[in-house]
Amino acid sequence: GIQVEQSPPDLILQEGANSTLRCNFSDSVNNLQWFHQNPWGQLINLFYIPSGTKQNGRLSATTVATERYSLLYISSSQTTDSGVYFCAVIRDDKIIFGKGTRLHILP
Amino acid sequence: KAGVTQTPRYLIKTRGQQVTLSCSPISGHRSVSWYQQTPGQGLQFLFEYFSETQRNKGNFPGRFSGRQFSNSRSEMNVSTLELGDSALYLCASSKRVQGNTEAFFGQGTRLTVV
């Protein structure tokens, strides 16, 4: 089945820094999403981005489908950005997640 | 537009008991899928329902079951609970539009088995 790999697994940054999270997938996809898991466990939709680039405030994402990777950029990090970021694809009507990147933003 | 609603939010059960979790999808979404999240195993797929039919099932024992009703609401049941069933259970609803499917998650049910 399709494999989704995220890197780095952990990232510690000072408030105000920028960060780049990467997601590699092993097969072509037409559905790719980025989620942020908040401290209470809910997965918050950040981007639906099977290809191209999108921006939402300090966050942006780029998916290069032909090269099978996606990047999530966080600029001017805030402590509220802390948490786990998941990349996920949908294959055969089930969501396949990467293992996530745990981001710690220090004040 | 209401989001995905899961109930209850928290649950404490004793080993050997059974539990039923509920998920109400976004209006108009007919696909509902369930995931178990544990610290050691990450997010694992349990099963997916569409129009009251189970289309996919993950690699979980038969103690884990589910169903979907005609209004697309879904329930999952875990019988003979084990300590290892303690986890966050997440439900997602989705709708395919012109070949694209975006999933939305509920707040989850945190189950503790003691």
Side-chain angles (χ1 to χ4, degrees):
Chain A
I2 189 169
Q3 305 294 316
V4 180
E5 296 181 355
Q6 291 186 243
S7 60
D10 292 279
L11 191 56
I12 301 174
L13 297 171
Q14 208 68 39
E15 196 169 26
N18 301 329
S19 58
T20 301
L21 283 57
R22 186 177 180 102
C23 172
N24 292 332
F25 41 96
S26 61
D27 200 356
S28 59
V29 297
N30 52 16
N31 300 284
L32 188 140
Q33 292 183 244
W34 284 96
F35 297 93
H36 176 214
Q37 189 164 39
N38 66 22
W40 297 273
Q42 186 172 11
L43 289 168
I44 307 298
N45 288 47
L46 296 177
F47 293 102
Y48 174 79
I49 187 163
S51 64
T53 297
K54 290 186 178 179
Q55 180 155 8
N56 184 4
R58 296 182 296 104
L59 275 60
S60 64
T62 295
T63 297
V64 183
T66 54
E67 297 187 23
R68 299 181 185 168
Y69 72 89
S70 183
L71 302 173
L72 177 68
Y73 305 97
I74 305 174
S75 64
S76 304
S77 299
Q78 300 175 358
T79 55
T80 52
D81 294 330
S82 296
V84 184
Y85 290 80
F86 289 100
C87 166
V89 301
I90 296 179
R91 176 59 59 90
D92 298 330
D93 300 304
K94 62 182 179 183
I95 305 170
I96 300 162
F97 292 90
K99 293 188 185 301
T101 291
R102 185 173 296 275
L103 179 63
H104 303 267
I105 304 298
L106 304 176
Chain B
K1 192 174 185 179
V4 182
T5 304
Q6 289 189 248
T7 57
R9 293 288 310 280
Y10 302 93
L11 208 49
I12 299 176
K13 289 286 189 177
T14 305
R15 272 183 302 176
Q17 287 186 312
Q18 72 163 9
V19 67
T20 299
L21 312 181
S22 178
C23 173
S24 293
I26 292 171
S27 177
H29 287 197
R30 293 161 65 189
S31 173
V32 174
S33 52
W34 290 87
Y35 300 83
Q36 181 196 64
Q37 186 177 30
T38 58
Q41 298 297 319
L43 281 151
Q44 292 189 286
F45 171 74
L46 281 157
F47 25 65
E48 187 260 350
Y49 287 87
F50 181 85
S51 292
E52 303 179 67
T53 300
Q54 185 183 89
R55 294 195 298 189
N56 273 297
K57 190 177 192 308
N59 190 24
F60 278 81
R63 300 184 298 106
F64 291 81
S65 63
R67 58 178 175 170
Q68 187 179 34
F69 301 94
S70 58
N71 62 357
S72 294
R73 188 177 72 86
S74 177
E75 289 181 346
M76 68 164 280
N77 183 276
V78 188
S79 62
T80 319
L81 284 165
E82 301 177 358
L83 295 179
D85 297 333
S86 295
L88 177 66
Y89 291 87
L90 291 163
C91 158
S93 83
S94 61
K95 178 179 180 180
R96 184 174 296 182
V97 178
Q98 295 181 332
N100 298 316
T101 304
E102 184 174 3
F104 297 86
F105 282 83
Q107 294 175 297
T109 295
R110 194 168 295 277
L111 171 66
T112 302
V113 182
V114 298

